[in-house]
């Protein structure tokens, strides 16, 4: 859905006082500009230490966690294999449209805070305020969700592990990884994401081999479960209405599982060569959706029938609720479930690590734009926003709720609460892109000169916006059915929507903000500094496979664009 262009510096813009001022500042030496990157207007002190290898693995594995391996079973139980595959495919296409919009904006303006600050700069300051706090709360609340999920998965082996001990261990590890330096976070995510890819490969091979008869029972079951009990399950009601509600259940399951563009966008302010490496990362999102999420929905529907009684655990996130583990046990496979469970723990831990990183950077971005206390803008010498880190590390302690409550119930609370926030994120991204698109037209910017050119625009933005608004409105519809009303469930589904409404209109009234007209949108912003940073590199961008080769085989001499030895 995109075309690559290597001439970001040629982007045209109307000449005004702001652009003249920035271009004067851009005359400084490239070395000086590189050292003071993103201090223009925002006093951003984050350091660009994430390389291509780390960014690509963050793009591939940063958003894969509990949902793809465990909670996806809940979607199967509600909708059946047919509804699950269709629901995940449709939702992945919709999020792909959002990714198409985000990629164009982020590669053009790779700033810290990403879409949060873009919303405030190009749409309305109140939207940026709402988006920032929504994303911060979303990421921060997912940290205890993943810690609680680790506790539940550990229960596969034994149920006498103290929950508080697991909570403390995870909090300490997250703190160490995220406070040392961003390059160590990137390295940790590289290896943890590699473990996720290994786990997915194992599960896909398990599906292929066992469905062809390679199992202890020598049963070539193939697509048997698509015929018996069937492809489409009934949920809540019977008949056609029940099957449609089962399809909706699968779509809502996809809404919690199919994610990704936001995590890649949040590393923009700390990415090396962002116009190149981020573009490559965003382009991997499309095939990742196809292979991981749509492929995962297909595999789950093959290995297990939707009416398996053990699937009732799937919505609570227990390891026994993982459709893959259930299938392995049903087939009498002994060792593989333990291997899968161990890799599943690393996957869940990695997701919590990514949430910690993103929550810190979103709070830092809010502080940069004056929408959070300035103290959260202070960084250590290694570029870590230290006070933002301190506040974020308070949220993992919510995982201690499981000490006095049912652990599975805590997981369910946090999952439901945050799902609405995720769709609000995509609403903000799509709306911001529509304003960005209109601004480029009004100011005469040729989008084909941007580092990433998104095809089928602005329709991707409009379709993604409408779809996410609809899903946000109806994903809690079941509480309004006769006999289904529950105050707790209502607030679990719609609390974040109400928070978003209050933060947007509260800030708009308090600060008397206005929507930014397309002709006045600041498309210059930090572009001169980023252009100078990109131009300061004398070596070509490294390729992912070259960095992997260097990592395992040792350093090699880098060559310049002409293929000559730079030394």
């Amino acid at each position: 859905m995109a075309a690559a262009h290597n001439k970001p510096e040629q982007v045209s813009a109307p000449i005004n006082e702001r652009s003249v001022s920035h271009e004067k500042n851009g005359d400084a030496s490239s070395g000086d500009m590189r050292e003071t990157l993103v201090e223009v207007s925002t006093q951003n002190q984050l350091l660009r230490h994430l390389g291509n290898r780390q960014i690509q693995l963050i793009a591939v594995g940063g958003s894969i966690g509990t949902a793809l391996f465990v909670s996806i079973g809940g979607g199967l139980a509600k909708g059946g294999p047919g509804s699950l595959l269709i629901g995940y495919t449709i939702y992945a296409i919709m999020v792909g449209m959002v990714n198409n919009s985000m990629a164009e904006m982020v590669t053009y303006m790779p700033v810290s805070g990403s879409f949060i600050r873009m919303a405030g700069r190009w749409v309305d300051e109140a939207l940026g305020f709402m988006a920032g706090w929504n994303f911060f709360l979303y990421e921060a609340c997912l940290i205890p969700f993943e810690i609680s999920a680790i506790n539940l998965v550990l229960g596969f082996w034994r149920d006498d592990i103290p929950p508080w001990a697991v909570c403390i261990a995870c909090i300490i590890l997250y703190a160490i990884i995220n406070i040392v330096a961003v390059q160590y976070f990137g390295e940790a995510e590289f290896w943890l994401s590699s473990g996720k890819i290994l786990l997915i490969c194992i599960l896909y091979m398990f599906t292929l081999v066992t469905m062809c008869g390679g199992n202890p029972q020598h049963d070539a079951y193939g697509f048997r479960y698509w015929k018996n009990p069937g492809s489409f399950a009934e949920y809540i009601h019977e008949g056609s209405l029940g099957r449609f509600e089962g399809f909706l259940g699968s779509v809502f399951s996809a809404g919690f599982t199919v994610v990704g563009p936001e995590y890649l966008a949040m590393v923009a302010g700390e990415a090396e060569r962002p116009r190149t490496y981020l573009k490559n990362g965003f382009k991997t999102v499309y095939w990742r959706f196809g292979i991981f999420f749509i492929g995962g929905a297909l595999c789950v529907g093959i290995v297990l029938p939707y009416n398996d009684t053990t699937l009732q655990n799937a919505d609570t996130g227990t390891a026994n609720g993982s459709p893959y583990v259930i299938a392995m046990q049903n087939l009498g496979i002994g060792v593989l479930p333990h291997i899968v469970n161990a890799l599943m723990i690393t996957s869940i831990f990695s997701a919590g690590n990514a949430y910690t990183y993103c929550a810190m950077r979103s709070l830092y971005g809010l502080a940069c734009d004056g929408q959070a206390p300035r103290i959260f803008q202070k960084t250590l010498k290694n570029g870590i926003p230290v006070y933002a880190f301190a506040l974020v590390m308070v949220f993992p302690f919510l995982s201690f709720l499981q000490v006095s409550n049912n652990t599975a119930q805590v997981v369910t609370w946090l999952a439901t609460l945050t799902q609405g926030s995720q769709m609000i994120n995509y609403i903000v991204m799509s709306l911001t892109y529509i304003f960005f698109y209109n601004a480029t037209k009004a100011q005469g910017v040729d989008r084909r000169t941007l580092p990433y050119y998104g095809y089928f625009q602005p329709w991707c933005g409009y379709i993604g916006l409408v779809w996410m608004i609809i899903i946000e409105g109806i994903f809690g519809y079941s509480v309004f059915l006769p006999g289904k009303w529950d105050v707790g469930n209502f607030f679990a589904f719609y609390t974040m929507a109400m928070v978003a409404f209050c933060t947007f209109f509260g800030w708009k009234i308090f600060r008397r903000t206005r929507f930014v007209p397309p002709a006045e949108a600041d498309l210059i912003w930090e572009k001169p500094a980023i252009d100078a940073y990109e131009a300061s590199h004398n070596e070509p961008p490294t390729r992912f496979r070259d960095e992997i080769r260097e990592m395992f085989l040792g350093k090699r001499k880098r060559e310049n664009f002409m293929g000559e030895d730079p030394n």
Side-chain angles (χ1 to χ4, degrees):
M1 299 177 72
H5 297 271
N6 296 318
K7 299 179 181 179
E9 67 275 12
Q10 294 180 359
V11 176
S12 58
I15 303 299
N16 52 30
E17 293 181 3
R18 178 185 297 271
S19 62
V20 171
S21 172
H22 277 292
E23 291 187 9
K24 286 180 180 179
N25 293 334
D27 290 335
S29 68
S30 60
D32 292 341
M33 184 60 74
R34 187 173 179 178
E35 290 299 320
T36 59
L37 175 67
V38 294
E39 291 186 7
V40 179
S41 77
T42 61
Q43 296 80 45
N44 189 338
Q45 301 168 48
L46 302 183
L47 303 178
R48 293 191 179 274
H49 283 163
L50 292 178
N52 189 28
R53 171 175 58 87
Q54 298 159 331
I55 290 173
Q56 301 314 314
L57 264 293
I58 289 173
V60 171
S63 58
I64 298 174
T66 312
L68 182 61
F69 304 120
V70 180
S71 303
I72 191 173
L76 175 65
K78 293 172 183 175
S83 290
L84 189 72
L85 181 59
I86 296 172
Y88 271 64
T89 300
I90 293 175
Y91 203 92
I93 291 172
M94 295 301 170
V95 180
M97 292 186 179
V98 177
N99 180 78
N100 192 37
S101 301
M102 277 302 300
E104 188 171 310
M105 294 188 295
V106 172
T107 55
Y108 169 66
M109 195 69 70
V111 297
S112 63
S114 190
F115 71 93
I116 297 170
R117 298 177 64 203
M118 293 173 185
R121 180 74 62 151
W122 295 335
V123 184
D124 188 319
E125 184 184 336
L127 185 69
F129 180 79
M130 180 271 281
W133 285 104
N134 175 79
F135 188 75
F136 169 72
L137 293 173
Y138 166 73
E139 296 294 325
C141 289
L142 277 174
I143 304 171
F145 165 79
E146 298 295 345
I147 294 176
S148 300
I150 289 176
N151 252 321
L152 289 169
V153 172
L154 287 172
F156 174 78
W157 288 303
R158 52 191 303 170
D159 56 7
D160 59 347
I161 300 175
W164 60 266
V166 177
C167 296
I168 292 175
C170 288
I171 291 171
I172 292 174
L173 289 173
Y174 287 153
I176 293 173
I177 292 173
N178 283 274
I179 196 62
V180 177
V182 67
Q183 62 262 41
Y184 298 115
F185 163 83
E187 201 63 31
E189 271 304 291
F190 172 82
W191 291 106
L192 290 170
S193 296
S194 299
K196 295 180 185 182
I197 296 174
L198 175 62
L199 174 58
I200 289 173
C201 291
I202 290 174
L203 296 177
Y204 283 10
M205 288 302 298
F206 159 77
T207 302
L208 178 62
V209 172
T210 58
M211 71 182 292
C212 295
N215 57 72
Q217 300 177 7
H218 304 290
D219 178 16
Y221 56 87
F223 286 86
R224 175 187 303 162
Y225 301 132
W226 285 63
K227 297 179 180 179
N228 181 24
S231 301
F232 300 95
E234 298 174 346
Y235 179 61
I236 300 181
H237 294 93
E238 298 180 351
S240 299
L241 177 60
R243 285 189 288 274
F244 177 71
E245 289 182 296
F247 167 74
L248 289 180
S250 296
V251 171
F252 300 152
S253 171
F256 186 65
T257 307
V258 182
V259 297
E262 63 276 31
Y263 300 109
L264 189 54
M266 290 307 293
V267 306
E270 292 169 277
E272 297 177 357
R273 312 292 286 263
R275 297 247 169 88
T276 300
Y277 297 157
L278 286 176
K279 177 183 67 179
N280 294 337
F282 276 111
K283 289 167 71 174
T284 67
V285 169
Y286 303 113
W287 62 259
R288 176 167 63 85
F289 281 1
I291 295 176
F292 297 159
F293 296 124
I294 299 176
L298 176 63
C299 289
V300 166
I302 291 174
V303 299
L304 202 65
Y306 68 76
N307 60 355
D308 189 290
T309 55
T310 317
L311 268 180
Q312 63 185 346
N313 291 328
D315 275 335
T316 63
T318 63
N320 285 332
S322 169
Y324 297 105
V325 174
I326 297 171
M328 292 171 190
Q329 292 174 331
N330 290 347
L331 291 170
I333 298 175
V335 178
L336 192 56
H338 298 278
I339 298 174
V340 168
N341 205 59
L343 289 172
M344 200 178 297
I345 290 176
T346 65
S347 172
I348 297 170
F349 179 85
S350 171
N353 190 41
Y355 299 146
T356 304
Y357 173 92
C358 290
M360 290 165 56
R361 270 56 184 185
S362 62
L363 184 58
Y364 176 85
L366 283 168
C368 285
D369 283 351
Q371 296 172 341
R374 290 290 181 184
I375 191 173
F376 296 122
Q377 196 176 351
K378 182 176 177 55
T379 64
L380 300 177
K381 291 182 179 180
N382 60 4
I384 301 298
V386 58
Y387 292 110
F389 163 81
L391 179 60
V392 168
M393 292 311 298
V394 172
F395 284 83
F397 287 91
L398 290 174
S399 60
F400 282 95
L401 286 171
Q402 60 192 303
V403 175
S404 57
N405 292 276
N406 179 274
T407 304
Q409 185 61 52
V410 173
V411 170
T412 304
W413 287 342
L414 294 170
T416 306
L417 186 67
T418 56
Q419 187 171 355
S421 284
Q422 178 68 327
M423 289 174 284
I424 292 172
N425 291 332
Y426 292 149
I427 290 171
V428 171
M429 293 177 194
S430 299
L431 183 62
T432 302
Y433 179 80
I434 292 171
F435 274 75
F436 172 76
Y437 177 89
N438 292 335
T440 59
K441 288 188 65 177
Q443 299 183 28
V445 175
D446 182 2
R447 290 175 46 249
R448 290 186 178 273
T449 63
L450 302 183
Y452 179 110
Y453 173 76
Y455 291 112
F456 198 55
Q457 293 289 14
W459 305 112
C460 284
Y462 283 113
I463 294 172
L465 176 65
V466 172
W467 172 265
M468 294 301 167
I469 290 175
I470 291 173
I471 299 300
E472 175 70 18
I474 68 173
F475 90 108
Y477 80 96
S478 59
V479 299
F480 301 105
L481 296 176
K484 298 287 186 178
W485 173 257
D486 182 270
V487 174
N489 287 339
F490 171 79
F491 281 102
F493 283 120
Y494 294 110
T495 291
M496 296 311 298
M498 292 184 284
V499 170
F501 180 88
C502 293
T503 51
F504 176 79
F505 285 102
W507 191 261
K508 192 169 186 63
I509 294 171
F510 175 70
R511 295 294 296 266
R512 301 180 182 273
T513 65
R514 66 187 182 98
F515 286 98
V516 179
E520 299 179 16
D522 183 8
L523 298 182
I524 301 298
W525 198 4
E526 296 185 7
K527 181 180 179 298
I530 296 167
D531 287 346
Y533 167 77
E534 292 279 1
S536 68
H537 293 279
N538 297 320
E539 298 177 345
T542 58
R543 295 178 299 181
F544 176 75
R545 62 177 178 268
D546 291 336
E547 290 196 14
I548 295 295
R549 187 184 301 117
E550 289 179 23
M551 182 177 65
F552 289 105
L553 301 180
K555 296 290 184 180
R556 62 177 175 83
K557 276 189 176 182
R558 293 188 177 181
E559 297 178 342
N560 62 18
F561 284 103
M562 301 302 294
E564 300 169 349
D565 189 336
N567 298 319

